[in-house]
Amino acid sequence: MKVIIVGGVAGGASCAARLRRLDERVEILMVERGPYVSYANCGLPYYVGGIIEKESSLLVADANTFRSQFAVDVRTGCEAVGISPDKKTIDLRNVATGEVTTESYDKLVLSPGAPSVRPPLPGIDLPGIFQLRTVPDARAIREWIEQGSLFLSGMDRYSGFQTVRPKTRAVVVGGGFIGLETAENLVHRRFEVTLVEMLDQVLAPLDPEMARLIEAYVEQHGMRLALNDGVAGFKPAANGAVDVLTKSGKTYPADIVILALGVRPDTVLAKKAGLTIGDLGGIRVDDQMRTSHPDIFAVGDAFEVRDFVTGEWSLIALAGPANRQGRIAADVIAGRESRFRGSQGTSIIGLFNGAAAWTGASEKTLNRIGDTDFEKIYLYPNSHAGYYPGAKPIAMKVLFRKSDGRLLGAQALGEDNVDKRVSALAMALQMGATVYDLEEAELCYAPQFGSAKDPVNFAGMVAADVLRGDMPLSHWDSAEKAFLLDVRDPVELAVEQAPGAVNIPLGQLRAHLGELPRDREILVICRSGQRAYSATRILLQKGFKARTLAGGMLSRAQVETFWEN
Ligand SMILES: Cc1cc2nc3c(=O)[nH]c(=O)nc-3n(C[C@H](O)[C@H](O)[C@H](O)COP(=O)(O)OP(=O)(O)OC[C@H]3O[C@@H](n4cnc5c(N)ncnc54)[C@H](O)[C@@H]3O)c2cc1C
């Protein structure tokens, strides 16, 4: 059997390696348009920032490794330009010479990825404007940064030497994870960085109130954000700089511009071959990675996946799913019964000393599809036992089914061990766990690592309290009409007050019950929701109608007070 794989990075390379491990007899040809296979595109922003010093570190396995260890015929600088599914042939063009040859296949795997979106804006091809997808892209950015301005700004008055104005201003267009990661790395390289984003938030998969925390954090670390503003075009400016013009009429001068406007599935070949393309513009496959043609498979960023939670078609460009899909395609070609479970979009981004991570559905996705059978909680547990040095709060939002407690999604951010909480939640979600399972999860604990009630347990306990009726819950959007009871200590009110709330600190509540109404619902507030829960329990047991305000003052976008901890 002869298998041809188009695209030699995440999905393609993992497919080739897995297929060889499963079958020594199969003939494998992997073609890659670019100069490298199996490179670490996830590391590119850190190469730009200089954290990864050597370009060679990005090359995880080179073509020779594939040839010698896996007996894969690797052709770099080789572009697939046409497929004849009926004849089972593929046309390959040598990028250097232009020569086109035709190869036959028994099975074909497409893993062409998703190139960066590059809209035809005026001036987009000016020098100094870059995108970041490949090693040559990253190299070009580093060279531009390190060589100084190409344009000389004149003679120094005193020394008579020519002076070069250093590059100091960067504009990053797009607030997704590639844009933010690259922006952070440019901050590390001492650029004044402005990030321009068309939406009213960064990191679109997050719900806006969680994104606000990240926005405040990156601003505290020196990044400027221009949200709600799209780029309209670019104009050359003095000394080789570029003026970035936005739709709101603003101009941002820049010595370097990074375009990170998202990615779009590469379906050029798939369309030529007549394969079915989905409504979102990705190649359609079944759960065994088979396209509409039984001998052609597609993996990675180029195809539409089923969202694991909502069941909707979705475009998810992530390295983990691409690698798993590559393995599954190899399994199926080798005669195994593997199936892809759909993608949860589990992601993490590191920013300065912190991280934001998420898995599963967001509240806005559930709202968009009209799903009303869900509840949300906010919690702000410490990353490990508060008495052990270095504990940091984690802001968590967890979504679950009201009807059966099934976990639907989670978002978390903070400066310590966010990843392990979201990874645990991601695994739980994939296993169909409920919030009752999270309550019972037995997780690692010693004071430097966690708490006897780990944040994951804690999330389960809070959510289960809500579902069992022990903690009726409310949210800020219904706070206006209710009787608000603030159970924080008076000293905390100096930082911020809940408008219109009556303050009775938790410790004094039992003595002041006579001051509270019995004919109205009482909404109980504290800083994070924990004391409000205790107060709610007192009130409910004393016959009051009471609800805890989820996440307390912190869920009211108290961004500064969260990060101050
Ligand atoms: C800067 C950056 C940072 C990222 N960081 C993360 C991260 O932290 N975490 C994460 O999960 N994901 C991250 N990703 C996304 C992740 O890299 C992708 O999801 C993953 O690489 C997709 O794998 P793929 O095989 O579908 O496509 P790719 O890895 O993009 O590989 C596709 C390859 O196919 C080649 N190709 C296309 N068409 C042809 C053709 N006709 N003939 C021959 N070759 C062709 C292309 O040249 C390309 O090299 C990042 C991506 C980028 C660009």
Side-chain angles (χ1 to χ4, degrees):
M1 177 165 61
K2 179 170 173 186
V3 177
I4 299 184
I5 300 170
V6 177
V9 191
S14 65
C15 181
R18 172 77 172 166
L19 187 55
R20 173 57 69 228
R21 289 190 190 106
L22 295 181
D23 193 337
E24 270 294 315
R25 294 158 306 170
V26 64
E27 184 186 344
I28 307 173
L29 166 61
M30 182 164 79
V31 299
E32 165 55 52
R33 178 170 46 202
Y36 307 111
V37 293
S38 197
Y39 63 86
N41 28 21
C42 308
L44 296 176
Y46 305 95
Y47 177 66
V48 167
I51 294 169
I52 297 172
E53 283 177 31
K54 288 197 217 129
E55 190 180 294
S56 57
S57 307
L58 297 166
L59 307 176
V60 180
D62 62 11
N64 284 334
T65 309
F66 274 89
R67 285 182 195 118
S68 60
Q69 287 187 18
F70 298 108
V72 172
D73 178 5
V74 179
R75 295 186 205 166
T76 53
C78 175
E79 183 180 24
V81 289
I83 302 168
S84 302
D86 297 334
K87 289 194 243 159
K88 290 185 143 186
T89 60
I90 183 164
D91 297 330
L92 303 175
R93 189 175 70 92
N94 182 317
V95 174
T97 63
E99 186 197 352
V100 176
T101 53
T102 301
E103 294 272 350
S104 63
Y105 61 81
D106 296 300
K107 303 283 178 201
L108 178 65
V109 180
L110 302 178
S111 187
S116 314
V117 170
R118 198 176 168 85
L121 294 170
I124 197 161
D125 294 322
L126 284 170
I129 303 180
F130 299 91
Q131 62 185 28
L132 184 58
R133 185 189 179 203
T134 62
V135 174
D137 290 341
R139 185 189 306 145
I141 295 171
R142 251 179 80 157
E143 282 171 6
W144 179 261
I145 293 171
E146 286 166 8
Q147 80 190 14
S149 174
L150 289 177
F151 296 83
L152 302 176
S153 61
M155 304 292 281
D156 183 276
R157 284 175 63 190
Y158 303 107
S159 66
F161 290 114
Q162 281 186 317
T163 57
V164 176
R165 194 174 57 76
K167 294 187 170 75
T168 55
R169 302 156 304 174
V171 170
V172 175
V173 187
F177 71 81
I178 296 177
L180 272 167
E181 284 175 354
T182 312
E184 181 203 345
N185 278 284
L186 292 171
V187 171
H188 292 318
R189 298 200 74 140
R190 300 187 183 284
F191 278 84
E192 289 167 18
V193 180
T194 304
L195 186 140
V196 181
E197 165 59 57
M198 200 169 62
L199 300 177
D200 59 0
Q201 69 166 85
V202 298
L203 295 174
L206 286 178
D207 285 322
E209 74 282 16
M210 301 302 282
R212 286 289 98 80
L213 290 164
I214 285 295
E215 288 154 12
Y217 187 67
V218 297
E219 284 179 327
Q220 282 170 17
H221 284 79
M223 214 184 275
R224 284 188 217 145
L225 297 181
L227 302 179
N228 266 318
D229 203 0
V231 168
F234 306 90
K235 269 182 29 188
N239 299 323
V242 174
D243 279 341
V244 181
L245 314 173
T246 67
K247 289 184 180 150
S248 72
K250 296 204 178 91
T251 299
Y252 296 96
D255 300 299
I256 184 167
V257 178
I258 307 289
L259 300 175
L261 292 151
V263 296
R264 191 170 290 144
D266 186 337
T267 52
V268 177
L269 273 178
K271 281 181 182 158
K272 281 188 189 170
L275 304 180
T276 302
I277 305 294
D279 296 339
L280 302 175
I283 306 170
R284 274 282 162 88
V285 297
D286 64 15
D287 61 359
Q288 293 196 307
M289 310 290 111
R290 225 179 254 109
T291 66
S292 52
H293 195 285
D295 294 316
I296 305 180
F297 295 74
V299 303
D301 293 356
F303 82 89
E304 292 181 7
V305 287
R306 283 281 185 197
D307 183 296
F308 184 79
V309 176
T310 66
E312 287 194 311
W313 290 109
S314 172
L315 291 172
I316 294 181
L318 287 171
N323 275 277
R324 295 204 306 281
Q325 293 148 9
R327 278 174 64 91
I328 290 170
D331 281 3
V332 175
I333 291 169
R336 299 195 175 192
E337 260 305 306
S338 299
R339 285 176 199 277
F340 186 60
R341 297 177 179 183
S343 184
Q344 298 161 229
T346 308
S347 306
I348 185 160
I349 175 169
L351 288 166
F352 302 99
N353 302 318
W358 57 92
T359 187
S362 62
E363 182 180 358
K364 61 185 175 186
T365 298
L366 295 171
N367 286 334
R368 179 177 54 75
I369 62 171
D371 187 337
T372 52
D373 180 16
F374 74 91
E375 182 55 281
K376 60 179 173 184
I377 54 165
Y378 298 91
L379 56 156
Y380 303 89
N382 274 330
S383 56
H384 59 250
Y387 61 82
Y388 190 90
K392 301 276 184 179
I394 301 177
M396 295 173 77
K397 176 175 183 177
V398 177
L399 297 135
F400 51 96
R401 282 251 168 270
K402 273 196 285 203
S403 52
D404 62 6
R406 192 165 74 88
L407 185 61
L408 297 175
Q411 302 168 30
L413 50 97
E415 288 188 322
D416 188 33
N417 275 320
V418 167
D419 55 338
K420 75 174 175 186
R421 273 58 196 238
V422 175
S423 289
L425 290 166
M427 189 66 213
L429 195 151
Q430 195 182 82
M431 302 312 291
T434 65
V435 295
Y436 309 111
D437 295 317
L438 300 184
E439 275 187 299
E440 295 302 327
E442 190 166 309
L443 302 168
C444 302
Y445 166 60
Q448 63 273 50
F449 300 109
S451 302
K453 274 183 217 150
D454 188 87
V456 171
N457 298 127
F458 193 38
M461 290 169 189
V462 174
D465 281 340
V466 174
L467 292 183
R468 291 191 187 108
D470 292 337
M471 185 174 71
L473 204 63
S474 195
H475 299 286
W476 277 106
D477 48 15
S478 53
E480 244 174 51
K481 295 181 203 124
F483 180 93
L484 294 186
L485 171 64
D486 189 339
V487 295
R488 290 177 297 162
D489 291 332
V491 65
E492 295 172 79
L493 306 192
V495 181
E496 213 214 7
Q497 303 203 359
V502 169
N503 179 226
I504 305 175
L506 177 61
Q508 298 167 29
L509 183 60
R510 288 184 184 84
H512 290 268
L513 292 175
E515 296 164 27
L516 296 173
R518 290 202 171 266
D519 56 343
R520 288 180 71 186
E521 191 163 68
I522 300 170
L523 258 189
V524 192
I525 311 166
C526 66
R527 181 169 178 276
S528 68
Q530 206 165 359
R531 281 169 291 173
Y533 167 52
S534 299
T536 304
R537 292 300 305 151
I538 295 172
L539 294 175
L540 289 173
Q541 291 178 67
K542 296 288 180 186
F544 290 89
K545 282 178 266 175
R547 286 178 183 274
T548 298
L549 204 140
M553 295 301 286
L554 281 171
S555 68
R556 201 166 170 252
Q558 291 303 291
V559 288
E560 283 79 16
T561 52
F562 173 75
W563 290 113
E564 268 164 19
N565 277 275

Short mmCIF file of all heavy atoms in Angstrom, two decimals, residues 8-11 13 32 35-48 52 54-62 66 132-139 177-178 181 319 323:
data_model
loop_
_atom_site.label_atom_id
_atom_site.label_comp_id
_atom_site.label_asym_id
_atom_site.label_seq_id
_atom_site.Cartn_x
_atom_site.Cartn_y
_atom_site.Cartn_z
N GLY A 8 3.71 18.42 6.35
CA GLY A 8 4.63 17.63 7.17
C GLY A 8 4.82 18.17 8.57
O GLY A 8 5.89 18.00 9.16
N VAL A 9 3.79 18.83 9.12
CA VAL A 9 4.00 19.38 10.47
C VAL A 9 3.13 18.59 11.46
O VAL A 9 3.21 17.37 11.51
CB VAL A 9 3.79 20.91 10.49
CG1 VAL A 9 4.28 21.52 11.81
CG2 VAL A 9 4.60 21.55 9.35
N ALA A 10 2.26 19.25 12.21
CA ALA A 10 1.63 18.57 13.34
C ALA A 10 0.84 17.32 12.93
O ALA A 10 1.19 16.19 13.32
CB ALA A 10 0.74 19.55 14.10
N GLY A 11 -0.20 17.50 12.14
CA GLY A 11 -1.05 16.37 11.78
C GLY A 11 -0.34 15.40 10.85
O GLY A 11 -0.38 14.17 11.05
N ALA A 13 2.96 14.91 10.18
CA ALA A 13 4.13 14.20 10.72
C ALA A 13 3.69 13.14 11.73
O ALA A 13 4.26 12.04 11.77
CB ALA A 13 5.10 15.20 11.37
N GLU A 32 5.98 18.32 1.77
CA GLU A 32 5.84 19.57 2.52
C GLU A 32 6.30 20.72 1.63
O GLU A 32 7.42 20.70 1.11
CB GLU A 32 6.67 19.49 3.82
CG GLU A 32 6.91 20.80 4.54
CD GLU A 32 5.62 21.57 4.89
OE1 GLU A 32 4.72 20.98 5.50
OE2 GLU A 32 5.53 22.77 4.52
N PRO A 35 10.32 24.57 3.86
CA PRO A 35 11.64 23.95 3.96
C PRO A 35 11.78 22.95 5.11
O PRO A 35 12.76 22.20 5.15
CB PRO A 35 12.57 25.15 4.21
CG PRO A 35 11.70 26.22 4.80
CD PRO A 35 10.32 25.99 4.29
N TYR A 36 10.84 22.94 6.06
CA TYR A 36 11.01 22.08 7.24
C TYR A 36 9.78 21.21 7.46
O TYR A 36 8.66 21.62 7.16
CB TYR A 36 11.21 22.92 8.50
CG TYR A 36 12.32 23.93 8.38
CD1 TYR A 36 12.04 25.29 8.34
CD2 TYR A 36 13.64 23.51 8.29
CE1 TYR A 36 13.05 26.22 8.21
CE2 TYR A 36 14.66 24.44 8.17
CZ TYR A 36 14.37 25.79 8.12
OH TYR A 36 15.37 26.70 7.99
N VAL A 37 10.02 20.04 8.05
CA VAL A 37 8.90 19.24 8.55
C VAL A 37 8.94 19.27 10.07
O VAL A 37 9.97 19.60 10.67
CB VAL A 37 8.97 17.76 8.06
CG1 VAL A 37 8.76 17.69 6.56
CG2 VAL A 37 10.29 17.11 8.47
N SER A 38 7.83 18.93 10.66
CA SER A 38 7.74 18.72 12.10
C SER A 38 8.41 19.81 12.93
O SER A 38 9.15 19.52 13.85
CB SER A 38 8.37 17.35 12.45
OG SER A 38 7.96 16.94 13.72
N TYR A 39 8.12 21.06 12.60
CA TYR A 39 8.70 22.14 13.41
C TYR A 39 7.67 22.61 14.44
O TYR A 39 6.48 22.34 14.33
CB TYR A 39 9.18 23.30 12.53
CG TYR A 39 8.11 23.99 11.74
CD1 TYR A 39 7.38 25.03 12.30
CD2 TYR A 39 7.83 23.60 10.45
CE1 TYR A 39 6.38 25.67 11.59
CE2 TYR A 39 6.83 24.23 9.73
CZ TYR A 39 6.11 25.26 10.30
OH TYR A 39 5.12 25.88 9.60
N ALA A 40 8.20 23.30 15.45
CA ALA A 40 7.35 23.67 16.59
C ALA A 40 6.74 25.05 16.35
O ALA A 40 7.26 26.06 16.83
CB ALA A 40 8.17 23.66 17.87
N ASN A 41 5.61 25.09 15.62
CA ASN A 41 5.04 26.44 15.39
C ASN A 41 4.57 27.08 16.70
O ASN A 41 4.56 28.29 16.83
CB ASN A 41 3.94 26.48 14.31
CG ASN A 41 3.18 25.20 14.16
OD1 ASN A 41 3.19 24.39 15.06
ND2 ASN A 41 2.56 25.01 13.02
N CYS A 42 4.24 26.24 17.70
CA CYS A 42 3.81 26.80 18.99
C CYS A 42 4.95 27.55 19.67
O CYS A 42 4.71 28.37 20.57
CB CYS A 42 3.30 25.69 19.90
SG CYS A 42 2.05 24.66 19.11
N GLY A 43 6.18 27.26 19.28
CA GLY A 43 7.32 27.93 19.91
C GLY A 43 7.73 29.22 19.20
O GLY A 43 8.59 29.96 19.70
N LEU A 44 7.11 29.49 18.04
CA LEU A 44 7.56 30.63 17.24
C LEU A 44 7.51 31.96 17.99
O LEU A 44 8.47 32.74 17.92
CB LEU A 44 6.75 30.72 15.94
CG LEU A 44 6.91 29.54 14.97
CD1 LEU A 44 5.99 29.71 13.76
CD2 LEU A 44 8.35 29.39 14.52
N PRO A 45 6.43 32.27 18.75
CA PRO A 45 6.41 33.58 19.44
C PRO A 45 7.58 33.71 20.42
O PRO A 45 8.09 34.82 20.63
CB PRO A 45 5.07 33.56 20.19
CG PRO A 45 4.20 32.62 19.41
CD PRO A 45 5.15 31.57 18.90
N TYR A 46 8.01 32.58 20.98
CA TYR A 46 9.09 32.63 21.98
C TYR A 46 10.46 32.72 21.32
O TYR A 46 11.42 33.18 21.93
CB TYR A 46 8.96 31.42 22.93
CG TYR A 46 7.57 31.42 23.51
CD1 TYR A 46 6.54 30.66 22.93
CD2 TYR A 46 7.24 32.28 24.54
CE1 TYR A 46 5.25 30.74 23.40
CE2 TYR A 46 5.94 32.37 25.02
CZ TYR A 46 4.95 31.60 24.45
OH TYR A 46 3.67 31.71 24.91
N TYR A 47 10.54 32.30 20.07
CA TYR A 47 11.75 32.53 19.29
C TYR A 47 11.84 34.01 18.93
O TYR A 47 12.89 34.63 19.03
CB TYR A 47 11.76 31.64 18.04
CG TYR A 47 12.94 31.87 17.15
CD1 TYR A 47 14.23 31.55 17.59
CD2 TYR A 47 12.79 32.44 15.90
CE1 TYR A 47 15.33 31.79 16.78
CE2 TYR A 47 13.88 32.68 15.08
CZ TYR A 47 15.14 32.36 15.53
OH TYR A 47 16.23 32.61 14.73
N VAL A 48 10.71 34.59 18.57
CA VAL A 48 10.67 36.03 18.28
C VAL A 48 11.13 36.81 19.52
O VAL A 48 11.90 37.76 19.44
CB VAL A 48 9.24 36.48 17.87
CG1 VAL A 48 9.11 37.99 17.89
CG2 VAL A 48 8.90 35.92 16.49
N ILE A 52 13.39 31.36 23.30
CA ILE A 52 14.04 30.26 22.57
C ILE A 52 15.11 30.92 21.72
O ILE A 52 14.80 31.72 20.83
CB ILE A 52 13.02 29.51 21.69
CG1 ILE A 52 11.95 28.86 22.59
CG2 ILE A 52 13.71 28.47 20.82
CD1 ILE A 52 10.79 28.24 21.83
N LYS A 54 17.82 29.59 19.84
CA LYS A 54 18.30 29.08 18.54
C LYS A 54 17.16 28.60 17.67
O LYS A 54 16.28 27.88 18.14
CB LYS A 54 19.24 27.90 18.80
CG LYS A 54 20.56 28.31 19.37
CD LYS A 54 21.54 27.16 19.19
CE LYS A 54 22.45 27.06 20.38
NZ LYS A 54 22.55 25.75 20.97
N GLU A 55 17.22 28.97 16.42
CA GLU A 55 16.20 28.52 15.48
C GLU A 55 16.16 26.99 15.42
O GLU A 55 15.09 26.39 15.30
CB GLU A 55 16.53 29.09 14.09
CG GLU A 55 15.43 28.88 13.10
CD GLU A 55 15.78 29.46 11.73
OE1 GLU A 55 15.92 30.69 11.63
OE2 GLU A 55 15.92 28.66 10.79
N SER A 56 17.33 26.37 15.57
CA SER A 56 17.39 24.91 15.45
C SER A 56 16.55 24.22 16.53
O SER A 56 16.09 23.10 16.36
CB SER A 56 18.84 24.42 15.51
OG SER A 56 19.43 24.87 16.71
N SER A 57 16.34 24.92 17.67
CA SER A 57 15.52 24.31 18.73
C SER A 57 14.08 24.10 18.29
O SER A 57 13.34 23.32 18.88
CB SER A 57 15.51 25.19 19.98
OG SER A 57 16.80 25.51 20.38
N LEU A 58 13.67 24.86 17.26
CA LEU A 58 12.28 24.75 16.80
C LEU A 58 12.06 23.52 15.92
O LEU A 58 10.93 23.15 15.64
CB LEU A 58 11.88 26.00 16.01
CG LEU A 58 11.90 27.33 16.77
CD1 LEU A 58 11.82 28.49 15.79
CD2 LEU A 58 10.75 27.38 17.76
N LEU A 59 13.15 22.95 15.46
CA LEU A 59 13.02 21.84 14.51
C LEU A 59 13.00 20.54 15.30
O LEU A 59 14.04 20.00 15.68
CB LEU A 59 14.16 21.89 13.50
CG LEU A 59 14.30 23.26 12.80
CD1 LEU A 59 15.50 23.28 11.87
CD2 LEU A 59 13.02 23.62 12.03
N VAL A 60 11.80 20.08 15.57
CA VAL A 60 11.62 18.94 16.48
C VAL A 60 12.22 17.67 15.88
O VAL A 60 12.93 16.93 16.55
CB VAL A 60 10.11 18.74 16.78
CG1 VAL A 60 9.90 17.58 17.73
CG2 VAL A 60 9.52 20.02 17.36
N ALA A 61 11.92 17.39 14.63
CA ALA A 61 12.50 16.24 13.93
C ALA A 61 12.68 16.67 12.49
O ALA A 61 11.77 17.23 11.90
CB ALA A 61 11.57 15.04 14.02
N ASP A 62 13.86 16.42 11.95
CA ASP A 62 14.06 16.89 10.57
C ASP A 62 13.75 15.79 9.56
O ASP A 62 13.43 14.65 9.92
CB ASP A 62 15.48 17.46 10.38
CG ASP A 62 16.54 16.41 10.62
OD1 ASP A 62 16.18 15.21 10.72
OD2 ASP A 62 17.72 16.77 10.71
N PHE A 66 12.99 11.46 9.76
CA PHE A 66 11.86 10.72 9.20
C PHE A 66 12.33 9.66 8.21
O PHE A 66 11.77 8.57 8.15
CB PHE A 66 10.85 11.68 8.54
CG PHE A 66 9.87 12.22 9.53
CD1 PHE A 66 10.15 13.38 10.22
CD2 PHE A 66 8.71 11.54 9.82
CE1 PHE A 66 9.27 13.87 11.16
CE2 PHE A 66 7.82 12.02 10.76
CZ PHE A 66 8.10 13.19 11.44
N LEU A 132 2.95 35.45 11.48
CA LEU A 132 3.77 34.45 12.18
C LEU A 132 3.12 33.09 12.08
O LEU A 132 2.19 32.76 12.82
CB LEU A 132 3.92 34.86 13.66
CG LEU A 132 4.83 33.97 14.50
CD1 LEU A 132 6.24 33.91 13.92
CD2 LEU A 132 4.89 34.48 15.94
N ARG A 133 3.60 32.30 11.10
CA ARG A 133 3.09 30.94 11.01
C ARG A 133 4.22 29.92 10.88
O ARG A 133 4.12 28.80 11.35
CB ARG A 133 2.14 30.79 9.80
CG ARG A 133 1.51 29.42 9.77
CD ARG A 133 0.75 29.12 8.50
NE ARG A 133 0.20 27.77 8.55
CZ ARG A 133 -0.12 27.08 7.48
NH1 ARG A 133 0.03 27.59 6.27
NH2 ARG A 133 -0.60 25.86 7.58
N THR A 134 5.31 30.36 10.23
CA THR A 134 6.37 29.40 9.91
C THR A 134 7.71 29.86 10.48
O THR A 134 7.84 31.01 10.92
CB THR A 134 6.52 29.28 8.38
OG1 THR A 134 6.91 30.59 7.89
CG2 THR A 134 5.23 28.87 7.70
N VAL A 135 8.68 28.97 10.41
CA VAL A 135 10.03 29.32 10.87
C VAL A 135 10.59 30.50 10.06
O VAL A 135 11.10 31.46 10.64
CB VAL A 135 10.97 28.09 10.81
CG1 VAL A 135 12.40 28.47 11.14
CG2 VAL A 135 10.47 27.00 11.77
N PRO A 136 10.47 30.48 8.73
CA PRO A 136 10.95 31.66 7.98
C PRO A 136 10.23 32.96 8.38
O PRO A 136 10.86 34.02 8.43
CB PRO A 136 10.66 31.30 6.51
CG PRO A 136 10.71 29.80 6.49
CD PRO A 136 10.14 29.36 7.80
N ASP A 137 8.94 32.88 8.74
CA ASP A 137 8.24 34.08 9.22
C ASP A 137 8.93 34.59 10.49
O ASP A 137 9.19 35.80 10.65
CB ASP A 137 6.78 33.78 9.60
CG ASP A 137 5.89 33.47 8.42
OD1 ASP A 137 6.26 33.83 7.29
OD2 ASP A 137 4.81 32.87 8.63
N ALA A 138 9.17 33.68 11.42
CA ALA A 138 9.77 34.07 12.72
C ALA A 138 11.17 34.62 12.50
O ALA A 138 11.58 35.60 13.14
CB ALA A 138 9.80 32.88 13.66
N ARG A 139 11.90 33.99 11.59
CA ARG A 139 13.27 34.45 11.30
C ARG A 139 13.24 35.88 10.75
O ARG A 139 14.02 36.74 11.15
CB ARG A 139 13.92 33.51 10.28
CG ARG A 139 15.38 33.81 10.00
CD ARG A 139 15.86 32.98 8.82
NE ARG A 139 15.63 31.56 9.01
CZ ARG A 139 15.32 30.73 8.01
NH1 ARG A 139 15.19 31.16 6.77
NH2 ARG A 139 15.12 29.44 8.25
N PHE A 177 -4.70 33.96 20.55
CA PHE A 177 -3.52 33.57 21.32
C PHE A 177 -2.21 33.84 20.60
O PHE A 177 -1.23 34.22 21.23
CB PHE A 177 -3.63 32.16 21.94
CG PHE A 177 -3.58 31.00 21.01
CD1 PHE A 177 -2.38 30.52 20.55
CD2 PHE A 177 -4.75 30.34 20.64
CE1 PHE A 177 -2.32 29.42 19.72
CE2 PHE A 177 -4.71 29.25 19.81
CZ PHE A 177 -3.49 28.77 19.34
N ILE A 178 -2.17 33.76 19.27
CA ILE A 178 -0.90 34.06 18.58
C ILE A 178 -0.58 35.55 18.72
O ILE A 178 0.55 35.94 18.98
CB ILE A 178 -0.98 33.63 17.10
CG1 ILE A 178 -1.13 32.11 17.03
CG2 ILE A 178 0.28 34.07 16.34
CD1 ILE A 178 -1.29 31.56 15.62
N GLU A 181 0.47 36.23 22.45
CA GLU A 181 1.79 35.66 22.77
C GLU A 181 2.90 36.48 22.10
O GLU A 181 3.94 36.75 22.71
CB GLU A 181 1.89 34.21 22.28
CG GLU A 181 1.13 33.22 23.15
CD GLU A 181 1.12 31.79 22.60
OE1 GLU A 181 1.62 31.57 21.46
OE2 GLU A 181 0.61 30.91 23.28
N ALA A 319 -2.79 22.27 18.29
CA ALA A 319 -1.81 21.23 18.00
C ALA A 319 -2.21 19.87 18.56
O ALA A 319 -1.96 18.83 17.93
CB ALA A 319 -0.45 21.65 18.56
N ASN A 323 -2.50 16.46 16.29
CA ASN A 323 -1.66 15.27 16.50
C ASN A 323 -2.51 14.01 16.69
O ASN A 323 -2.22 12.96 16.13
CB ASN A 323 -0.75 15.47 17.71
CG ASN A 323 0.51 16.22 17.33
OD1 ASN A 323 1.46 15.62 16.85
ND2 ASN A 323 0.52 17.52 17.50
#
